[in-house]
């Protein structure tokens, strides 16, 4: 390894607390856990850290980490003709038994290809034999639709990994012979029988004579027709908090603790709301135990979860944190459930910008998406923000939502005008800064909008331009918008099928821009229209229908119809409700 790269590796490690170093000779199984983005991004991901902790607790496994190298490091690797290596020991990735990817974003799929290329490992599973590691993956994106990576991955974890990862490695260890070799196919066949484990090569896409997709079905005996999503019944059994601390990451100054998982609010566009059902919370006692550990290392606690303000004991938790002189940050909160105690705690902890996610400018469209936030809530939030001394506010809004009209866009402009006027009642000059973050809507699998067509890129670009023009007069307003070009690629991968594995590799190798994607799709006889801009009928069979999330497809369709009628769906009631199927079936079904 070059001295420069080795010094950088050691420098990263020197800044970490909690790193696990194991002796190569003492553990029969080695895993390189990979976040397909930079160290700075990946090291703040709690799911990634949790799996690192669980695997290294095992006596039979040595788990090390790897990330996408910085640009200059990638150049150096290529210059010295060296393959990518792990962080802890500098071992080449291709020498591990497993490469385990933790994938949270569709746009990181290309980084999976990049890492395999940099590691000197053939990208497609059919080109790899026993001399290469098994390539496995998990994380939110793999749970909702792993198909675009199906020809690349050997095995996928569907759902939450805490329990299934141990079952998988117990099985692997039981298959190891005395001289540490394994019959891979035998292992994979047994693994595919573990609930939550998907081995793509044991399934194939089926088409009728006219080329119509009929579903993805097992092609070997003994594997299940549908792969069940795994989820943890009792979060307290698996404390989820920072395992490795380092200043060199996004949330480097905090000790992160997961407070809750899932969200019961039923926003119809939100993959996170469906992916982690049912909503679950940790006990206050369990969180406080983790706080005790965290305060040894950091004086700031980052509370993680979909909507922290919905946590039932949030005030008690804040009081305890305040009593311990710990400052607090939260991943996100809802304006309609934020308590004065939580807000005061956050302000005392340095919060200077209130973030609100109305998602749509008009009341009508917020009803379509079941956002459950009224204009009154939005105004109340701005009033609270200013009363608490926050002079900045940030709004998250989406464009291209189903049924959106020009009137809905105009309502965004009206909303900003109203907020500005309203704010002047509380502070001379109103907000010092209003940030508007505009994100194009992407239909996601396992949501009521999985049947929807996505808005055309040119339309999205026009809408962003229109908003910028019409909001230009507000000097305190700053608009940032997600690039519709990237949105198109993200949308393609979100609802993609197995044919996209080849497209993904070709597009990446051709530079990864939109032209490269178009060309790569064309080479396979495919196009964006089919994946993105097509309104699906109720009968559509999706490339992810062989995954069983527990949510009834019929329920999702009913939610879609309710969206058309702007009907409200109330929050989850996990102890009594059987609506969507995740918490059990309704009597008689
Ligand atoms: S409040 Fe809505 S958008 Fe936010 S996490 Fe919950 S379901 Fe998703
Ligand atoms: S069954 Fe009810 S409580 Fe359970 S996840 Fe579905 S909607 Fe929520």
């Amino acid at each position: 390894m070059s001295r420069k790269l080795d010094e950088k590796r050691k420098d990263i490690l020197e800044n970490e607390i909690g790193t696990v170093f194991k002796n190569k000779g003492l553990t029969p199984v080695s895993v390189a856990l990979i976040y397909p983005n930079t160290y700075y991004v990946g090291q703040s991901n709690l799911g990634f850290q949790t799996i690192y902790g669980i695997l290294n607790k095992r006596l039979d496994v040595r788990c090390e980490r790897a990330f996408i190298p910085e640009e200059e490091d990638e150049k150096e690797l290529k210059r010295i003709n060296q393959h990518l290596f792990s962080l802890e020991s500098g071992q080449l990735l291709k020498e591990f038994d497993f490469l385990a990817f933790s994938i949270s974003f569709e746009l990181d799929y290309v980084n999976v290809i990049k890492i395999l290329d940099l590691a000197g490992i053939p990208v497609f599973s059919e080109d790899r034999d026993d001399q290469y590691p098994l390539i496995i993956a998990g994380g939110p994106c793999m749970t909702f639709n792993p198909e675009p990576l199906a020809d690349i991955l050997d095995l996928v974890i569907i759902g939450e990994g805490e329990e299934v990862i141990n079952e998988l490695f117990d099985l692997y260890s039981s298959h190891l012979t005395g001289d540490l070799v394994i019959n891979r196919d035998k292992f994979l066949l047994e693994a595919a029988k573990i609930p939550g484990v998907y081995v793509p090569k044991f399934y194939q896409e089926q088409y009728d004579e006219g080329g119509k997709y009929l579903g993805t079905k097992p092609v070997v005996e003994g594997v299940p027709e549908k792969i069940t999503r795994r989820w943890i019944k009792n979060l307290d059994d698996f404390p989820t908090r920072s395992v490795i601390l380092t200043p060199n990451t996004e949330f480097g100054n905090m000790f992160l603790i997961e407070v809750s998982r899932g969200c019961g609010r039923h926003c119809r566009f939100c993959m996170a709301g469906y992916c982690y059902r049912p909503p679950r919370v940790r006990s206050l006692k369990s969180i406080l135990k983790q706080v005790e550990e965290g305060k040894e290392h950091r004086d700031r606690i980052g509370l993680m979860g979909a909507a922290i303000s919905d946590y039932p004991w949030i005030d008690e938790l804040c009081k305890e944190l305040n009593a311990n002189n710990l400052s607090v940050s939260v991943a996100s909160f809802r304006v309609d459930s934020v308590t004065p105690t939580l807000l005061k705690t956050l302000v005392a902890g340095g919060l200077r910008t209130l973030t609100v996610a109305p998602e749509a400018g008009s009341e009508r469209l917020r009803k379509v998406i079941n956002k459950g936030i009224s204009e009154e809530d939005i105004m109340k939030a701005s009033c609270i923000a200013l009363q608490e001394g926050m002079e900045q506010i940030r709004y998250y809004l989406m464009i291209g939502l189903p049924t959106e009209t020009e009137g809905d866009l105009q309502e965004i402009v009206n909303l900003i005008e109203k907020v500005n006027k309203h704010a002047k009642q509380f502070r001379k000059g109103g907000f010092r800064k209003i940030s508007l973050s505009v994100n194009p809507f992407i239909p996601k699998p396992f949501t009521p909008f999985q049947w929807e067509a996505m808005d055309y890129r040119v339309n999205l670009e026009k809408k962003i331009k229109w908003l910028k023009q019409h909001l230009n007069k507000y000097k305190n307003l700053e608009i940032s918008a997600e690039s519709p070009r990237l949105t198109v690629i993200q949308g393609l991968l979100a609802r993609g099928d197995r044919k996209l594995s080849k497209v993904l590799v070709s597009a990446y190798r051709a530079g990864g821009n939109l032209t490269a994607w178009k060309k790569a799709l064309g080479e396979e006889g495919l196009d964006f229209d089919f994946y993105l801009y097509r309104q699906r009928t109720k009968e559509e069979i999706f490339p992810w229908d062989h995954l069983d999330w527990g949510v009834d497809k019929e329920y999702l369709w009913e939610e879609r119809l309710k969206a058309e009628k702007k009907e409200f769906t109330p929050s989850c009631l996990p102890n009594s409700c059987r609506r969507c199927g995740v918490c059990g079936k309704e009597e008689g079904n």
Side-chain angles (χ1 to χ4, degrees):
M1 188 189 305
S2 90
R3 229 176 87 188
K4 193 174 154 198
L5 290 173
D6 201 36
E7 274 171 10
K8 199 157 180 186
R9 181 181 73 80
K10 287 178 179 153
D11 190 44
I12 290 172
L13 292 172
E14 267 171 26
N15 279 291
E16 289 185 344
I17 300 169
T19 323
V20 180
F21 298 98
K22 286 193 176 179
N23 188 323
K24 282 183 195 172
L26 298 180
T27 45
V29 187
S30 58
V31 180
L33 181 64
I34 303 174
Y35 196 89
N37 209 305
T38 59
Y39 177 88
Y40 181 82
V41 175
Q43 204 47 57
S44 280
N45 185 289
L46 266 191
F48 176 75
Q49 295 205 42
T50 301
I51 297 299
Y52 180 80
I54 291 175
L55 286 177
N56 274 321
K57 254 194 195 147
R58 296 181 64 98
L59 296 177
D60 55 349
V61 175
R62 170 172 55 92
C63 177
E64 305 194 355
R65 291 160 296 152
F67 302 86
I68 275 283
E70 303 285 349
E71 212 177 308
E72 55 168 357
D73 298 342
E74 187 184 332
K75 277 188 193 147
E76 177 70 1
L77 279 172
K78 286 179 177 161
R79 188 186 68 78
I80 59 170
N81 204 14
Q82 148 129 38
H83 286 137
L84 195 58
F85 50 85
S86 69
L87 191 54
E88 278 78 354
S89 70
Q91 180 177 326
L92 292 178
L93 295 190
K94 66 178 176 185
E95 291 173 356
F96 280 82
D97 297 316
F98 285 86
L99 299 194
F101 286 92
S102 172
I103 308 178
S104 298
F105 302 104
E106 295 93 344
L107 293 176
D108 284 344
Y109 293 3
V110 286
N111 290 338
V112 172
I113 315 298
K114 185 177 191 168
I115 284 170
L116 292 175
D117 273 359
L118 288 172
I121 296 171
V123 167
F124 292 107
S125 56
E126 64 181 14
D127 298 330
R128 295 190 296 264
D129 58 20
D130 287 5
Q131 65 166 309
Y132 293 106
L134 280 163
I135 312 295
I136 70 175
C141 282
M142 292 300 95
T143 291
F144 73 66
N145 181 19
E147 286 308 298
L149 289 172
D151 285 345
I152 291 153
L153 302 171
D154 294 308
L155 184 151
V156 184
I157 302 292
I158 306 296
E160 297 165 11
E162 286 96 333
E163 287 173 334
V164 65
I165 199 79
N166 273 326
E167 293 164 23
L168 185 70
F169 281 92
D170 284 348
L171 180 75
Y172 187 82
S173 281
S174 75
H175 274 247
L176 279 178
T177 60
D179 45 4
L180 300 183
V181 287
I182 194 160
N183 179 328
R184 262 184 195 214
D185 275 342
K186 223 169 140 196
F187 162 69
L188 287 172
L189 194 58
E190 287 303 309
K193 293 173 190 165
I194 300 175
V197 172
Y198 173 44
V199 179
K201 75 169 179 178
F202 295 151
Y203 297 78
Q204 257 173 27
E205 294 180 310
Q206 314 281 330
Y207 295 90
D208 69 10
E209 284 169 3
K212 191 175 160 219
Y213 175 63
L214 299 175
T216 296
K217 310 253 166 76
V219 286
V220 296
E221 270 187 34
V223 300
E225 288 270 329
K226 288 207 165 207
I227 300 95
T228 321
R229 172 179 68 106
R230 294 291 291 268
W231 54 276
I232 305 303
K233 302 277 177 302
N234 181 7
L235 288 188
D236 282 356
D237 291 343
F238 296 93
T240 302
R241 34 68 149 191
S242 296
V243 174
I244 293 175
L245 290 155
T246 170
N248 300 318
T249 186
E250 195 179 353
F251 304 125
N253 62 342
M254 303 175 206
F255 187 86
L256 303 176
I257 300 174
E258 186 194 49
V259 168
S260 58
R261 196 174 290 182
C263 174
R265 296 293 193 135
H266 297 237
C267 300
R268 294 185 175 115
F269 62 88
C270 178
M271 192 270 288
Y274 284 87
C275 185
Y276 297 109
R277 283 189 179 200
R280 288 146 289 158
V281 294
R282 287 179 196 281
S283 68
L284 186 59
K285 194 175 156 201
S286 149
I287 294 172
L288 292 177
K289 194 164 168 247
Q290 294 171 61
V291 169
E292 281 302 307
E293 291 174 43
K295 74 180 191 191
E296 298 294 316
H297 305 289
R298 294 285 188 269
D299 55 12
R300 190 174 190 82
I301 303 291
L303 303 177
M304 309 301 280
I308 298 296
S309 48
D310 286 354
Y311 181 63
W313 306 286
I314 191 65
D315 283 356
E316 290 88 333
L317 177 56
C318 285
K319 280 174 196 156
E320 284 292 335
L321 293 168
N322 291 335
N324 278 284
N325 290 324
L326 292 162
S327 62
V328 182
S329 284
V330 298
S332 67
F333 61 79
R334 298 253 320 187
V335 286
D336 53 350
S337 61
V338 66
T339 65
T341 308
L342 172 60
L343 206 62
K344 279 197 185 343
T345 305
L346 294 173
V347 172
L351 183 74
R352 296 288 168 265
T353 304
L354 190 74
T355 300
V356 186
E359 312 291 4
S362 72
E363 202 88 30
R364 184 198 75 80
L365 202 46
R366 286 196 295 274
K367 282 185 179 158
V368 170
I369 62 175
N370 204 52
K371 189 64 205 182
I373 291 182
S374 65
E375 190 170 298
E376 200 188 325
D377 291 325
I378 299 168
M379 293 306 150
K380 202 172 97 193
S382 54
C383 147
I384 291 172
L386 289 163
Q387 280 171 341
E388 292 297 334
M390 287 179 264
E391 296 174 357
Q392 304 181 46
I393 195 157
R394 179 181 299 119
Y395 294 109
Y396 280 104
L397 287 156
M398 283 193 284
I399 51 168
L401 279 163
T403 78
E404 182 191 70
T405 62
E406 279 178 21
D408 295 310
L409 286 187
Q410 181 60 50
E411 290 278 355
I412 294 179
V413 177
N414 298 349
L415 183 73
I416 297 300
E417 194 170 317
K418 282 183 207 163
V419 166
N420 255 325
K421 242 190 217 160
H422 187 70
K424 283 179 187 148
Q425 295 173 25
F426 300 93
R427 181 180 176 267
K428 200 175 165 225
F431 280 109
R432 199 165 54 74
K433 188 170 154 197
I434 299 178
S435 305
L436 201 64
S437 176
V438 181
N439 295 298
F441 161 70
I442 299 172
K444 295 280 174 114
F446 291 106
T447 67
F449 290 157
Q450 62 182 347
W451 286 271
E452 299 303 318
M454 200 170 127
D455 201 357
Y456 287 101
R457 177 173 62 87
V458 279
N459 287 349
L460 295 170
E461 280 164 353
K462 274 186 202 155
K463 286 174 186 177
I464 291 168
K465 200 171 162 199
W466 187 91
L467 280 174
K468 284 184 175 167
Q469 277 168 352
H470 284 76
L471 289 166
N472 192 25
K473 61 180 173 181
Y474 298 107
K475 297 299 165 222
N476 62 344
L477 185 83
E478 197 178 270
I479 304 185
S480 61
E482 178 85 11
S483 149
R485 283 178 171 263
L486 288 181
T487 310
V488 162
I489 299 168
Q490 200 184 343
L492 174 77
L493 294 170
R495 290 191 294 174
D497 55 20
R498 203 173 276 208
K499 291 176 188 161
L500 292 191
S501 291
K502 274 202 186 88
V503 174
L504 181 63
V505 176
S506 306
Y508 161 68
R509 297 218 167 114
N513 58 23
L514 204 51
T515 314
W517 278 94
K518 254 186 216 159
K519 189 165 171 279
L521 281 166
E523 281 164 5
E524 297 299 321
L526 307 168
D527 57 35
F528 280 119
D529 287 1
F530 176 82
Y531 291 99
L532 294 179
Y533 307 124
R534 187 170 57 90
Q535 179 70 47
R536 278 74 162 165
T537 63
K538 187 186 175 193
E539 291 70 38
E540 176 95 10
I541 300 168
F542 294 116
W544 49 91
D545 275 354
H546 56 300
L547 309 181
D548 179 7
W549 271 27
V551 182
D552 295 334
K553 198 171 176 185
E554 189 60 37
Y555 169 83
L556 294 174
W557 180 257
E558 280 166 23
E559 274 296 301
R560 185 189 170 274
L561 297 181
K562 282 173 86 176
E564 275 174 11
K565 291 185 254 169
K566 302 183 280 298
E567 273 178 29
F568 179 64
T569 295
S571 294
C572 282
L573 292 165
N575 292 330
S576 55
C577 152
R578 299 285 177 269
R579 261 177 291 162
C580 78
V582 167
C583 302
K585 303 280 177 203
E586 305 253 21
E587 297 248 327
N589 285 336

